[in-house]
Amino acid sequence: MDGYSALLVVTFLVVGLAVTMLVLNLLLGPKNPSAIKSEPFECGQVQITSPRQRFSVKFYLIAIVFIVFDIEVVFLIPWAVLYRWFLTQPSWAVLAFTEMLVFLGILGLGLAYFWKRRGLEWD
Amino acid sequence: MTAQVVEALVHAAIKFAILVPGFVLALAALMSWIERRQSAMIQDRVGPNRASIGGVRAWGLFHIIADTLKFALKENIVPRGSNPLLFRLAPFMAMAPALIVFAVMPVGPTNRWVVSNLDVGILFIFAIGSLSVYGATIAGWSSNNNFSLLGALRVSAQMISYEVSLALNLVGVFMVFGSINLQTIIEGQGALLGGVLPKWGIVVQPVAFFLFLAASIAETKRTPFDAPEGEPELVSGYFTEYSGLALATWFLTEFAAVIMVAMMATAVFFGGWQIPWLPPTPALVATWWFQIACVMAFFAKTLFFVWVQMQLRWTLLRMRYDQIMTMGWKYILPISLANVLVTGLFLLLTR
């Protein structure tokens, strides 16, 4: 048996715990809703601006750069796991290292470009 | 399904039901008390010590029970203009992944001591653990509250930024031990370097350990990286509007994440269940007392790292949000890239 069916069982257990807590929360607490109580918190004020509005584009930029680097890590992990094996092969050892040097070099250039264009500044 | 498969699944369920409520949730409940008590000691206050059962105070330990009851019996307020379905679901969307990841953590020497010994153990922890960011982001967005929205934006950007560094720091460890299976990594740390020093992750990858600790504390959103919920600016950040058990769930999630960070640091950098200078020979591993001793060693190391994180929380100052992002992208990320290259070069030259 592989380990994944066990994880499915674990997932059911955790979801069961979550549903139990959700239902307990709905059943146990008192329910006296009022207009003032359900007002969103804004330091005692009536809400001045709605939160459903535009926000800084910086967060999108960070998310896009995150995808690039996360995919880089995904490509890096199989190489890292097999690196020891590559080193035992005389013809592949240097190649395995230099190829990753080139790969990381290109991504390092990308990071340097993003940095230089002030993509990492928060002002 | 054959009877064998059913038996294995039942065993997995029992192991998980012992590990998570028995250790993780119990420790999380204890931490909620320790954290307040310790902050009181550091700030020269008395702290919570009043709850008593029949006049027995026990240093305020009964506050755990009192708090749980109080959280459960409070009204669950849903703010006006919010998205009620997402608002109610969000804390549990954050909690579920934070608890599921414990399933692949080997706490002892054989497969008996792990719920599911996956070959992709650490990748599973990253993949599922990072789903927590959805819960936090959805909570902040669905609250219809300006503070919550700002907290949600901050938490999403901060968590994805540090996730890259977190995975990249461990790449050096994968290169040294040649595996991403947690049990294999822990077994690889049993050898002695030069006959003296245990070959623990911190010895072979010292830079990666400190970067990993910083990045993973940023992932748990605790001081000094708690800009997403910074009290002076954002009230409570993305969970400002929560009350009742839903609010307790946010704290539970945070403490579960702290315990997971402690377990990761233990398993990858501090030898996991290895007892230093006591190599686990097959004959020893077969005895029950050695297995129990190994599990004890694992939990002792985990408790140490939980303690380290609580100390950090109450001794360091909060960083500004731009400082947090600068540290992640301009310092930790380039240094961990360099760490991967240096490790590769070292292994190439000493092959």
Side-chain angles (χ1 to χ4, degrees), chain B residues 61-107:
Chain B
L61 264 176
F62 297 125
H63 273 275
I64 298 169
I65 302 167
D67 288 345
T68 314
L69 283 177
K70 198 170 142 187
F71 272 130
L73 296 175
K74 287 285 175 188
E75 182 174 358
N76 194 10
I77 301 165
V78 178
R80 174 181 59 79
S82 68
N83 186 327
L85 179 70
L86 290 179
F87 183 81
R88 283 191 196 279
L89 271 182
F92 303 102
M93 287 170 72
M95 182 192 77
L99 293 182
I100 288 174
V101 289
F102 286 97
V104 296
M105 186 54 75
V107 298

Side-chain angles (χ1 to χ4, degrees), chain B residues 75-312:
Chain B
E75 182 174 358
N76 194 10
I77 301 165
V78 178
R80 174 181 59 79
S82 68
N83 186 327
L85 179 70
L86 290 179
F87 183 81
R88 283 191 196 279
L89 271 182
F92 303 102
M93 287 170 72
M95 182 192 77
L99 293 182
I100 288 174
V101 289
F102 286 97
V104 296
M105 186 54 75
V107 298
T110 55
N111 266 350
R112 180 187 300 168
W113 296 98
V114 52
V115 177
S116 168
N117 189 16
L118 282 193
D119 279 342
V120 291
I122 292 184
L123 280 188
F124 179 82
I125 292 177
F126 284 145
I128 301 297
S130 58
L131 291 179
S132 280
V133 70
Y134 286 110
T137 311
I138 288 174
W141 179 82
S142 66
S143 292
N144 190 30
N145 178 324
N146 285 308
F147 298 113
S148 298
L149 180 76
L150 290 174
L153 291 175
R154 286 182 175 189
V155 79
S156 57
Q158 175 179 333
M159 282 183 81
I160 62 177
S161 295
Y162 277 90
E163 217 171 274
V164 176
S165 317
L166 197 63
L168 211 49
N169 284 323
L170 292 183
V171 166
V173 180
F174 302 156
M175 288 163 76
V176 173
F177 295 111
S179 178
I180 48 174
N181 179 320
L182 275 162
Q183 192 72 285
T184 316
I185 290 179
I186 294 175
E187 277 161 5
Q189 298 179 53
L192 289 180
L193 275 182
V196 200
L197 217 51
K199 195 192 171 191
W200 284 359
I202 187 168
V203 178
V204 290
Q205 288 281 316
V207 178
F209 169 69
F210 289 103
L211 297 181
F212 170 83
L213 199 62
S216 49
I217 291 172
E219 283 279 300
T220 61
K221 310 178 284 290
R222 284 164 69 84
T223 323
F225 301 100
D226 69 343
E229 49 191 88
E231 288 93 347
E233 327 149 17
L234 294 184
V235 194
S236 293
Y238 56 92
F239 56 85
T240 302
E241 290 292 346
Y242 280 89
S243 54
L245 264 183
L247 180 64
T249 310
W250 286 115
F251 290 111
L252 191 69
T253 309
E254 184 181 318
F255 289 134
V258 168
I259 298 169
M260 193 62 214
V261 168
M263 282 192 173
M264 284 280 279
T266 304
V268 178
F269 291 102
F270 278 79
W273 41 261
Q274 303 272 4
I275 302 170
W277 298 289
L278 192 61
T281 56
L284 262 179
V285 168
T287 56
W288 63 267
W289 55 267
F290 183 74
Q291 292 186 6
I292 300 284
C294 283
V295 174
M296 290 291 163
F298 185 90
F299 285 135
K301 291 173 189 173
T302 304
L303 287 179
F304 172 75
F305 279 105
V306 168
W307 175 78
V308 165
Q309 288 182 70
M310 304 203 103
Q311 290 294 314
L312 285 179

